[in-house]
Amino acid sequence: MNELDALVDSARQGFEQAATPADLENAKAVFLGKSGRITELMKGLASLSIDEKKARGAVINQAKQAIEAALNARRQALADAELDAQLKAEALDVTLAGRQAGQGGLHPVSLTLERIEGIFGSMGFDVAQGPEIESDWFNFTALNTPEDHPARSMHDTFYVEGGTATAPNLLRTHTSPMQIRHAVQHVNAHRALLDAGETMPEIRVIAPGRTYRVDSDATHSPMFHQCEGLWIGANVSFKDLKVVFTDFCRTFFESDDLVLRFRPSFFPFTEPSAEIDIQFQSGPLAGRWLEVAGSGQVHPNVVRNMGLDPEKYIGFAFGMGPDRLTMLRYGVNDLRLFFDGDIRFLSQFQ
Ligand code: DAH
């Protein structure tokens, strides 16, 4: 083996032993660098004759090209190895089972509202929604509760800036304003019939939603839910209220083993008025009277504010607490649990 073949051979070995691109660059410098072996050989040409230069130069060049080829091959091999290692390290096992995405569900109070809407819907009641920021007029005055009425003090609420008695100025303290809003809309829709002296179709509606009061303990929250009910017609009586509400309670709690009591009470917007209590005859709550709603025959002043003649139209209203109903149905003893947003509590209802 001549001296140049030996040089190419040792370059190949040197490159082969380089384990990283940095090692390879160092090995390259030994052979192809400024003061590397090939450069040294080139410098040696200076002392030769022209013919000798040609011959010797050609073989040195061949050796140089062979070394460069070996270098490039090794570079490629190292790059391939690096890519392989990276691919292995970042490998995705597409056959692995996916991570289960958390599945949401309805809030227990929403479940109750759905039940309420379903049951009253089956009895021919519409469902109406109204604003939570309400005006003095709808929340109080139209409901026969003028400004100086003592009943207002039981409904301490949050007032918003910029309102007036007729423009939105407070967070509604109950869903009762929806009685007026819905009735007025209904009356306007049947204006032609009324003007012709005919009887309009009955108003039969429930209005569920959020309500607000300055109140907070285990059974009261500053934000809570109510569901209003209203049935107005030419001949709707307290008897109808009893039938409808009894039916509702028995369906809601899935129990015929349940009795109702209409306990005389006072609300400015009904006369006579009654609290509705229920009593389970069996189960953990058996024997206790539990208040679930306020109710009564709609006061003539309220009927008038609906745009109707109280001599011709009569009916009943009720307002119940879906939060309370949810507590009774599921045996929850602290109302605040519903609004803390603790997933461990809420997930039990899915
Ligand atoms: N709005 C009343 C309250 O929040 C509840 C109520 C009582 C509603 C009697 C009614 C009713 O519709 O007739 O305390």
Side-chain angles (χ1 to χ4, degrees):
M1 192 188 284
N2 71 31
E3 167 215 11
L4 284 172
D5 287 343
L7 181 63
V8 171
D9 235 36
S10 84
R12 281 203 184 108
Q13 275 177 28
F15 296 161
E16 214 49 54
Q17 279 161 14
T20 67
D23 288 350
L24 185 59
E25 291 315 304
N26 289 337
K28 173 196 163 187
V30 173
F31 299 97
L32 300 170
K34 257 192 207 141
S35 48
R37 303 280 297 277
I38 290 289
T39 318
E40 291 301 321
L41 290 172
M42 290 294 199
K43 280 180 189 158
L45 291 179
S47 57
L48 299 181
S49 70
I50 301 241
D51 281 348
E52 281 172 329
K53 261 186 199 158
K54 259 194 187 164
R56 179 77 176 150
V59 282
I60 294 177
N61 249 333
Q62 266 176 11
K64 186 183 176 195
Q65 280 166 11
I67 292 173
E68 281 172 347
L71 174 69
N72 287 334
R74 186 60 186 154
R75 268 192 186 138
Q76 191 58 50
L78 285 178
D80 288 351
E82 191 176 63
L83 183 62
D84 265 2
Q86 193 184 357
L87 285 176
K88 238 178 230 152
E90 294 173 5
L92 266 186
D93 183 352
V94 292
T95 66
L96 273 180
R99 245 174 241 144
Q100 185 96 41
Q103 228 185 1
L106 286 181
H107 188 280
V109 174
S110 298
L111 292 171
T112 293
L113 291 175
E114 277 201 343
R115 272 181 86 68
I116 294 174
E117 289 172 20
I119 296 167
F120 278 102
S122 76
M123 296 193 259
F125 280 71
D126 294 327
V127 178
Q129 303 273 349
E132 290 169 31
I133 304 177
E134 190 50 282
S135 72
D136 208 277
W137 166 257
F138 286 114
N139 196 79
F140 293 120
T141 314
L143 291 166
N144 201 34
T145 317
E147 210 163 319
D148 54 2
H149 199 289
R152 279 202 182 201
S153 61
M154 288 155 63
H155 287 220
D156 190 10
T157 185
F158 305 85
Y159 286 81
V160 298
E161 278 177 12
T164 65
T166 48
N169 66 344
L170 52 82
L171 293 180
R172 67 178 178 187
T173 59
H174 50 180
T175 44
S176 301
M178 280 307 292
Q179 289 187 32
I180 307 290
R181 284 186 179 274
H182 182 80
V184 166
Q185 214 175 39
H186 185 95
V187 166
N188 284 337
H190 298 95
R191 174 73 53 209
L193 271 183
L194 288 164
D195 285 350
E198 297 194 38
T199 310
M200 64 165 196
E202 290 183 344
I203 298 171
R204 221 181 290 174
V205 70
I206 59 165
R210 277 184 281 268
T211 47
Y212 304 83
R213 282 186 211 176
V214 180
D215 222 348
S216 186
D217 59 39
T219 54
H220 296 91
S221 143
M223 187 287 300
F224 59 106
H225 295 84
Q226 278 200 345
C227 181
E228 198 74 11
L230 179 69
W231 187 347
I232 299 276
N235 193 18
V236 181
S237 75
F238 221 98
K239 177 193 72 187
D240 297 305
L241 167 63
K242 283 190 157 181
V243 170
V244 162
F245 212 84
T246 303
D247 233 36
F248 163 72
C249 288
R250 292 190 173 153
T251 311
F252 183 85
F253 288 108
E254 298 169 271
S255 163
D256 284 339
D257 216 10
L258 181 151
V259 292
L260 277 75
R261 172 173 82 176
F262 288 76
R263 179 166 39 90
S265 184
F266 172 81
F267 298 101
F269 32 90
T270 44
E271 183 59 39
S273 305
E275 305 274 5
I276 306 178
D277 302 332
I278 61 170
Q279 190 187 74
F280 296 99
Q281 304 305 295
S282 56
L285 295 167
R288 278 170 53 195
W289 284 110
L290 308 158
E291 186 184 316
V292 291
S295 67
Q297 183 170 303
V298 180
H299 193 286
N301 287 346
V302 176
V303 174
R304 214 169 278 121
N305 288 333
M306 292 172 174
L308 292 169
D309 178 357
E311 296 294 328
K312 293 192 183 136
Y313 290 93
I314 190 167
F316 64 80
F318 57 82
M320 59 180 154
D323 306 328
R324 189 86 207 283
L325 293 179
T326 312
M327 290 171 79
L328 292 174
R329 183 165 146 83
Y330 296 110
V332 175
N333 56 13
D334 192 328
L335 173 73
R336 290 169 294 199
L337 286 167
F338 288 140
F339 309 124
D340 282 347
D342 188 332
I343 206 82
R344 291 167 303 179
F345 172 75
L346 296 174
S347 61
Q348 297 177 77
F349 299 89
Q350 303 318 316

